[in-house]
Amino acid sequence: MGKSYLSFSATVILQAVANGYQYGFDIMDMTGLPGGTVYPALRRLEDMGYVLSKWEKHEIAQRELRPPRKYYEVTDVGAEALAEAVKRYRLLDQQQRRALRTRPSRGRA
Amino acid sequence: MSNRFRPHLWFVSAVGRIVPRRFRSEWKQEWEAELHHRESLLRRWRRSDWNTRRSLLRLSVSSIWDALAMQPRRLEEEMFQDLRYGARMLLQSKGWTAVAVLSLALGIGANTALFSVVDRELFRTLPVKNPEQLVRLMWVSGANHMLAEWRTYGFSPRDDATGLTLQRAFSNLTYERMRAANQTLSDVFAFGSVDRFNVVIDGQAEIASGQFVSGNYFTGLGVPAALGRTIAVDDDREGAAPVAVMSHDYWQRRFGLDPTIVGKSINVNGRVPVTIVGIAPRGFSGAFRAGSSFSPQLSIPLAMEPRLIGDASILNNPVSWWLVIMGRAKPGMKAEQIRANLEGGFQQSAMEGWDSYLALFRSSASANQPQVSGDFVNQQQLMGPNPAREILERRDTPHLRVVPGSQGSLYLAPEERRSLTILVTIAGILLCIVCANVTNLLVARTATRQKEIAMRLALGARPWRLIRQLVTESVLLSLIGGTLAVVVVIWSKDLIQSLFEIHFTLDCRVLAFTAAVSFSTAIVIGLAPAVRAIRVDLIPSLKDSAPHTLGIRSRLGRSLLIAQVAMSLVLLIGAGLFIGTLRNLHSTDLGFNPKNLLLFRVDPRLNAPDADYWAETGRLRNLYERLVELISAIPGVRSATLSDWTLLGGNSTSSDGSLSPRPGEAVSVQVVRANFFETMEMPVLLGRGLTSRDDGSSPKVALVNEALARKFYPNKNPLEQRIGGRPGGIGNIEIVGVVRDAKGATLREDIPPTVYLPYLQYHFASMNFEVRTTGDPGALIPAIREAVRQVNPNLPLIDVKTQNEQVKQILARERRFAFSSTLFGGLALLLACIGLYGIMSFSVARRTNEIGIRMALGAKRGDVAGMVLREAFSLVLMGVVSGFFIARLIGRWVASMLYGLSPNDPATTAFAVTVLAAVAALAGYLPARRASHVDPMVALHHE
């Protein structure tokens, strides 16, 4: 798959997974993004090969009398993409600040 | 929390229903597990109240967005399913698929090939920056126009407002005035083509086409150099160092892309060393029109024109208009604003130019008239030496017109457009036939799958889903067909190139067209059978025999077949007509012997050491006589002669002035060497031929042809007549002989009344050689080159070809038509044959039972076979009748392309019908034979 840029929310979600928030609802709580954003983003990230999904062990689920949960892990490619995206957004941020500081006055020439 | 009331779980389970089936269980599990987990956490923290429940519900609601986001996967999934299924179905019947795919490939391929030609000729814009901003300046004027001569550069349409033909050539004076007045164009540039430059590169003489351009030509068009630099404004000044830009094509062909050519000096017209400063980008062939015959190989600044052309220079002649002017509109500028801006300066400069010309006239009555050639329209030459009053009273002011110029300066000639339209129509008809054929095949196939479809409908399949699946199959078919079509087109690349005389490239526009045609073909051929298939009566279809549905099928199939036969007949008649035209043109009586005749031209004017060199008496004549003498002495040459234009070369000179016996009625005028008639084998019927004594010092004489004698002197002796001189006065040229009629410039036109003048009595710089040989003329070319080199090493041979090659050249369009229509007609015939065979076989298979009963009841084999053949012929007959009427309708449209036969030519029509009937008989015979061999016992057990 070619290089594709991660959107800001996808970066945030990927960062959350990398930080150990592996379940959909935890990511939603962590990022404050709604499920309608988090889940489609996770599925896209999975298609892109940036995250892997796995099912929780049966024993744990059985103990709690519920079906096994699905959790997500960042792959190596995902980690690289994340580092790059973070760098990009940081750069953007810096530029934005600089631009705000040195915005030319729009008065008459 | 009660275990019974858990709306969030219900909600997720309800939403889960819209998730594609493949993902559904996992999707549900993921959401449910999360909700369960959250629930149990809350329970552990003892926080299960109404508030938390609401938040759980809110969480579950967000699952709806997740489910919606998964919808595209459903389509993807079903599409793959359809494709897989379709591919399996196509593979199941390989023969059927091969026939369908091949016919689609031929139909789409023919259209792709033609599109690539049409796209180039009709729609292609100049390969420059923002071509849509370009405008061309043109003018119109009444008959009393204030200029002596102008170049036409080919066809122009008429002006809407005045009905006068638009003209595109301007004088340098008008160009400079308009450039000075310009405020509406960001750039206005001028260029004028030159027939040829005589170029000496590395000591070798050759001919290159060229143009003079204003200094801002390349920057105005936005064309950068591929190598080196383009011409700059500073190059276009008097006294600047002579420079030239070479076209990429010429660079590639002549110099093999050698980059060291940039900076090299070449000698142009034997006068001036010119430095090549750059190469124009690939694909750019000037601003005349992409693919036109004006594609200059060398571009040289306008200011160089007087130095390179010498005394024939017309740069600063205010009444010889030859420069084409184009400009780039400033943003938002309308044509009307540009016209208003420039017209004043234009009209004023035109008037000034005319006044200066008249002043010149008055001062010297014997002013030398400029020599003109090529496609210059010359009004003045026809008026004789003393134009006097008529010219002095001319006062029609020309009016400026501003026309969009994204395709360049030239228009496509109407006959070219027409011939392209006809070819496109032929290819379109072929594609229609292919569509009809494949639709028929598809209908037959869906009919055999009727039971499967009915079953699926009965089991609750959605009709839309079934249609999509059936259409997917036809899309698959035509995509394979389209891919094969591209292969077919690439294979026939050489054929296309030689047939249309273009450089063929398969670019993305052409591929996009192929894809679009393939897709629309798929929809056309797939939709009708699919819709028909699902509109079935379930109950009878599910039973063992299904006569009802077959009835519907065959009605559609039959009408498609009739249409197919009709269109095939149209194509066959067209092919017959175009072949007949070609045959008639080939067998037409030329009036001279075209065999073993070599033609070429020389133009010594191009590299004269100085302007007046050839004007000196006798110098040109000595050169030509010496050349004729040397060439005649070559072993294998029977004789050699000269003429100002060649027979059947497409161009001729004509005059309706004093050379015509009745001024006002045009006659063809050919200037020839005395032995022209012997060499061409045109017998002198009356009087005497020309001799070498008919030269400048003896009385002027002329020969005429029979057509002239018949037309102008029906009951008189032409030998007593005189032509030339002042209108109304006694002619100064005596007619001394009558020559047998021979074709003039073209094969199609009737033989024009022609006057032949001895070249020794006239001053003609560039002449054509006609060399009659005993054997293959091509073998003598090196010897002739050597002979010319002996006389003048800087004199290149132009347009070397045999007379037969020349005839072939002027018949290029006819051959194109004959070839394409025969090819397409043959394909159409083949497809109609396949269609008929298919439908009759199907009909026989379907009626096996009935045939069995008939035979059991005593019908003979011949009866059964006859029954099937009758059915086949009734279909063919209906097709032939409708095709006949369609052919009559569109016959008028091609009438002007034909020669020697009418569009309703009975022999051609009869021939086409016979061929079609014979092939139909063959296609019907096999199923009929099969029917007659039906075993009644087996047949009765059938089904």
Side-chain angles (χ1 to χ4, degrees), chain B residues 575-586:
Chain B
L577 290 176
F578 288 128
I579 292 177
T581 297
L582 195 62
R583 194 192 51 219
N584 287 349
L585 284 170
H586 267 305

Side-chain angles (χ1 to χ4, degrees), chain B residues 11 101 146 174 211 254 271 286 327 346 379 402 444 552 559 595 600 670 743 779 873 878 907 919:
Chain B
F11 194 83
V101 162
M146 300 195 296
T174 54
Q211 64 174 350
R254 172 65 179 76
R271 292 189 178 91
F346 167 63
Q379 295 291 312
V402 177
I552 295 174
S559 30
K595 289 198 192 79
F600 66 92
Q670 194 172 20
K743 286 280 179 184
F873 267 107
M878 279 187 266
V919 171

Side-chain angles (χ1 to χ4, degrees), chain B residues 662-784:
Chain B
R662 276 200 294 273
E665 288 181 50
V667 294
S668 191
V669 180
Q670 194 172 20
V671 176
V672 300
R673 193 171 181 270
N675 63 344
F676 180 78
F677 306 104
E678 291 104 80
T679 308
M680 302 304 282
E681 299 180 15
M682 290 158 64
V684 177
L685 302 174
L686 208 63
R688 68 171 176 95
L690 296 173
T691 70
S692 56
R693 284 183 305 280
D694 295 318
D695 59 10
S697 58
S698 60
K700 289 195 166 183
V701 295
L703 262 65
V704 299
N705 68 352
E706 292 172 280
L708 186 136
R710 261 198 313 275
K711 181 171 178 192
F712 295 104
Y713 311 116
N715 299 313
K716 294 182 208 159
N717 182 0
L719 298 186
E720 291 162 0
Q721 312 298 327
R722 299 177 81 83
I723 54 174
R726 300 177 67 162
I730 298 167
N732 58 352
I733 304 173
E734 188 189 349
I735 297 176
V736 293
V738 177
V739 187
R740 208 189 135 200
D741 277 344
K743 286 280 179 184
T746 70
L747 270 173
R748 277 173 180 268
E749 281 162 29
D750 289 339
I751 292 167
T754 308
V755 175
Y756 299 96
L757 303 171
Y759 97 107
L760 292 178
Q761 294 182 337
Y762 295 84
H763 183 84
F764 266 85
S766 173
M767 294 292 276
N768 290 284
F769 279 77
E770 284 97 355
V771 181
R772 173 77 64 190
T773 60
T774 47
D776 171 27
L780 292 176
I781 295 175
I784 292 175

Side-chain angles (χ1 to χ4, degrees), chain A residues 23-26 28-29 34-37 39-40 42-44 47 55 64-70 72, chain B residues 25-27 29-38 40 44 56 59-60 62-63 65-66 69-70 73:
Chain A
Y23 298 95
F25 277 27
D26 295 354
M28 282 159 66
D29 289 343
T37 307
Y39 275 102
L42 279 173
R43 304 200 197 288
R44 252 197 321 277
D47 284 347
W55 292 103
E64 293 190 19
L65 298 172
R66 59 169 173 78
R69 293 170 76 190
K70 196 184 210 176
Y72 295 86
Chain B
S25 66
E26 289 202 359
W27 185 90
Q29 187 182 335
E30 183 173 11
W31 277 94
E32 279 171 5
E34 289 298 314
L35 289 168
H36 272 294
H37 178 68
R38 181 62 52 105
S40 58
R44 214 176 297 155
L56 274 177
L59 277 174
S60 69
S62 68
S63 72
W65 302 112
D66 187 22
M70 295 192 75
R73 293 177 195 227

Side-chain angles (χ1 to χ4, degrees), chain A:
Chain A
M1 172 162 285
K3 196 170 164 178
S4 48
Y5 287 107
L6 288 177
S7 70
F8 190 71
S9 55
T11 309
V12 170
I13 290 164
L14 194 58
Q15 181 72 65
V17 178
N19 289 351
Y21 296 89
Q22 292 181 306
Y23 298 95
F25 277 27
D26 295 354
I27 298 168
M28 282 159 66
D29 289 343
M30 173 59 212
T31 58
L33 295 167
T37 307
V38 170
Y39 275 102
L42 279 173
R43 304 200 197 288
R44 252 197 321 277
L45 286 170
E46 191 174 3
D47 284 347
M48 290 157 83
Y50 290 174
V51 298
L52 268 179
S53 67
K54 286 179 183 165
W55 292 103
E56 196 183 35
K57 283 218 173 73
H58 251 283
E59 298 85 73
I60 308 171
Q62 247 164 3
R63 222 179 301 144
E64 293 190 19
L65 298 172
R66 59 169 173 78
R69 293 170 76 190
K70 196 184 210 176
Y71 66 93
Y72 295 86
E73 279 172 3
V74 177
T75 62
D76 293 350
V77 194
E80 271 170 41
L82 176 63
E84 205 172 296
V86 167
K87 209 189 301 166
R88 193 156 46 87
Y89 284 113
R90 199 167 288 150
L91 216 70
L92 209 81
D93 185 41
Q94 283 166 6
Q95 270 177 6
Q96 185 69 20
R97 276 161 214 251
R98 214 171 304 138
L100 282 172
R101 244 180 287 136
T102 61
R103 171 179 293 175
S105 60
R106 288 210 169 195
R108 270 158 283 161

Side-chain angles (χ1 to χ4, degrees), chain B residues 485-496:
Chain B
V486 174
V487 176
V488 168
V489 169
I490 291 173
W491 270 346
S492 48
K493 184 181 165 195
D494 289 341
L495 183 72
I496 299 168

